[in-house]
Amino acid sequence: MSGKPDDPPIERRSLPRSVVLKDGTIITENMTIACSVRNQHAHGAELRVEPGVVVPERFVLHVPADGVEYRAVVRWRKNERLGVQIH
């Protein structure tokens, strides 16, 4: 089965992610970036940002619905979507 250019990377995770839709904020030393959390599990998430937004490799992800801030590291990028590992 061949994918479309906008398909996410091939599934290589050991833990399945739950589809969610939560607002989030990417927090860096000198800016904040609005994002949405598209799916998530205990160790990772897929985020979506506005087209053209530059997101650094490491940041704090604030998810108000969870009442939590996660340390995040970007593991993949595809246009306005980011796969991150969270701690």
Side-chain angles (χ1 to χ4, degrees):
M1 154 166 72
S2 65
K4 295 178 228 149
D6 290 336
D7 285 346
I10 295 169
E11 182 66 55
R12 293 186 180 100
R13 301 176 197 101
S14 59
L15 298 171
R17 293 183 179 187
S18 298
V19 175
V20 297
L21 183 54
K22 302 176 190 175
D23 290 329
T25 304
I26 294 169
I27 302 169
T28 69
E29 288 185 20
N30 49 8
M31 75 174 82
T32 60
I33 301 165
C35 68
S36 61
V37 181
R38 307 300 287 195
N39 59 55
Q40 182 178 9
H41 72 81
H43 302 291
E46 179 183 331
L47 309 179
R48 185 174 293 247
V49 296
E50 291 293 319
V53 171
V54 177
V55 177
E57 291 298 312
R58 296 177 180 274
F59 54 86
V60 172
L61 173 63
H62 175 68
V63 183
D66 295 348
V68 163
E69 289 187 345
Y70 303 98
R71 289 179 296 145
V73 179
V74 176
R75 295 298 180 206
W76 61 264
R77 297 173 188 261
K78 178 78 173 176
N79 300 321
E80 68 275 2
R81 297 181 330 210
L82 306 166
V84 298
Q85 180 179 359
I86 57 177
H87 308 277

